[in-house]
Amino acid sequence: MNTLGPRRLNSPLRLLVAVAFNFAVMYTFLGVLVWLGVIDRVRTDYGFLAWMNILVGVLLSGGTFLVYRFIDRGSPMAFGFRMTRRDGAFAGVTLLLSVIFAIACIAIIGRDQALGAEFQLYKLARPSMIGLMILGAVGWIIAVTQEEVLYRGYFYANLQRLHPLVLILVSAFFFSLTHIPTKGIALIPLIIHFVGGIGYGYVYYKSGSLLLSTLLHGMHNFLLDILFNNDYSVTLVTLAHPLDDSVKLAQQLMLLAAVVLITHVFYGRNGAFTPAENLQKLWNTKHEHIYLLQQQPSQAK
C-alpha cells in the first residue's frame, strides 16, 4: 500500500494544465472587457493598456507560480529571479543597441516617402508624457513576466531533458501561440513572436536570469510602442501607413541575430548550448526529486 500520497502529473500534462490556465484567464479577461464595453480602450488609451498589462501579468504569473508550487512541488524562485553585474551589463548593451537598431530602421524607412516617417520628439518635453511612458514601460515588464515565467522558467524546468535547441524551439512555439487571444491567427505575426521567443529563450538559457529575459522582452515591447505604433499618443515616430508584416519579420530576424550574438559574447565561454550554472543545479535537483517519487510506489508495497 502506498501511503506517501498521490503521484504527480507527468511533464506534458503539467504543461497542458499551465497553458490551458493561461488561455482560460486571457479569454475570460478579454470577455470581461468586451462585456464592460471598454475593449477598444486597450487599442487607443495607452494608460489603460498599461494598467491592463499589469493586471494580466500579476494574475497569470501568480497562476503559474501556484501550478509550479503545488503540482510540481517546487519553488518558483528557483527559476532564476536574479540580476548579476554581468546581467546588468548585458541588459545595458543589448537595450542600447536595440535603440540604435530601431532608429536605424526608422531612418531607412524614412527614405520611403510613401511611409512618411516623422519624429515627434517635442512630446518628451511634456511631464505627463514622460509619466505615461514610465507607466507603459512598467506595464510591459509586468505583463511579459507571466510569459517568461511560463514559457521560459516553467517550460524549461519541465522539458530540460530535450536537446537545448529543441527545448528553445518548443518553448518559442507555445510562446507564439499565447498571442492568439489578442492577435488572432495570422501566420506572419505568429512567426514574429516565435522568433522573439527564440531570442528571449536563448538569453534565459545562457544567463539563467528570468529577470534579464523579462526586462529585455518588456523593454522591446515598449520600444515598439514608442517608435513604431501609431495607435497610441506616446509614439515618437508617426508613419503615414503601418509597416508591412514582412518588414516587421525582417526586423525581428535581424534583432534575433544581434541578441544571440551578444548573448554568446557575454555567456558563451562554456559553449553555445551549455545552460547557466543555476539552471543546471535546478534541473539536476529536479531529476533527483522525480527519481525519488518514482521509487515511492515500489518501496511502499
Side-chain angles (χ1 to χ4, degrees):
M1 180 178 180
N2 183 2
T3 60
L4 297 176
R7 297 182 65 183
R8 302 181 311 163
L9 299 174
N10 58 39
S11 291
L13 286 178
R14 291 198 298 272
L15 294 177
L16 287 176
V17 168
V19 172
F21 174 82
N22 182 285
F23 271 78
V25 171
M26 281 300 302
Y27 276 112
T28 301
F29 186 80
L30 292 173
V32 170
L33 293 183
V34 171
W35 179 65
L36 293 175
V38 296
I39 190 66
D40 289 338
R41 290 186 62 185
V42 175
R43 304 184 184 93
T44 59
D45 186 336
Y46 198 64
F48 185 77
L49 170 68
W51 284 113
M52 294 303 98
N53 277 341
I54 291 172
L55 181 57
V56 170
V58 170
L59 286 174
L60 291 178
S61 297
T64 304
F65 285 162
L66 291 175
V67 169
Y68 191 68
R69 179 68 183 88
F70 292 105
I71 294 182
D72 290 68
R73 303 176 189 176
S75 170
M77 300 310 296
F79 286 157
F81 288 93
R82 66 174 196 178
M83 181 74 76
T84 65
R85 290 184 179 179
R86 180 166 59 168
D87 297 335
F90 172 84
V93 170
T94 304
L95 290 175
L96 176 61
L97 292 179
S98 297
V99 172
I100 294 174
F101 172 74
I103 293 175
C105 288
I106 293 171
I108 294 172
I109 293 170
R111 295 181 180 180
D112 186 347
Q113 295 182 355
L115 288 174
E118 179 182 350
F119 282 94
Q120 296 182 333
L121 299 180
Y122 64 87
K123 293 181 178 180
L124 295 175
R126 303 173 185 172
S128 60
M129 187 62 65
I130 298 298
L132 186 58
M133 288 182 173
I134 293 174
L135 177 61
V138 171
W140 273 123
I141 290 172
I142 295 176
V144 304
T145 297
Q146 54 92 6
E147 295 175 342
E148 295 301 313
V149 167
L150 176 56
Y151 295 104
R152 253 62 77 181
Y154 190 65
F155 262 63
Y156 283 32
N158 278 281
L159 299 177
Q160 26 77 23
R161 291 188 179 184
L162 297 177
H163 184 278
L165 182 58
V166 177
L167 169 62
I168 292 171
L169 292 177
V170 169
S171 168
F173 172 74
F174 280 95
F175 167 72
S176 67
L177 296 184
T178 198
H179 295 84
I180 290 177
T182 54
K183 301 294 180 64
I185 302 176
L187 182 59
I188 295 183
L190 288 177
I191 294 175
I192 290 173
H193 291 300
F194 174 72
V195 171
I198 294 173
Y200 303 130
Y202 190 64
V203 168
Y204 175 61
Y205 188 84
K206 292 300 297 177
S207 69
S209 173
L210 203 63
L211 287 181
L212 179 58
S213 62
T214 299
L215 177 63
L216 292 181
H217 187 177
M219 291 306 295
H220 280 164
N221 283 7
F222 174 67
L223 286 174
L224 289 175
D225 282 346
I226 66 173
L227 296 178
F228 295 103
N229 196 335
N230 282 352
D231 294 335
Y232 302 110
S233 59
V234 294
T235 182
L236 299 178
V237 180
T238 58
L239 300 172
H241 303 285
L243 295 178
D244 291 337
D245 285 342
S246 59
V247 175
K248 295 178 182 179
L249 177 57
Q251 290 176 332
Q252 189 78 321
L253 288 170
M254 288 186 285
L255 183 61
L256 169 64
V259 168
V260 170
L261 177 61
I262 299 170
T263 303
H264 186 70
V265 169
F266 273 81
Y267 304 101
R269 291 184 179 179
N270 59 351
F273 289 112
T274 302
E277 183 177 348
N278 64 310
L279 295 184
Q280 284 184 314
K281 182 178 179 180
L282 169 65
W283 298 343
N284 289 337
T285 301
K286 190 176 180 65
H287 278 159
E288 294 173 0
H289 184 54
I290 291 174
Y291 175 78
L292 290 175
L293 286 173
Q294 290 173 339
Q295 299 305 307
Q296 287 178 358
S298 60
Q299 294 173 357
K301 290 180 180 180

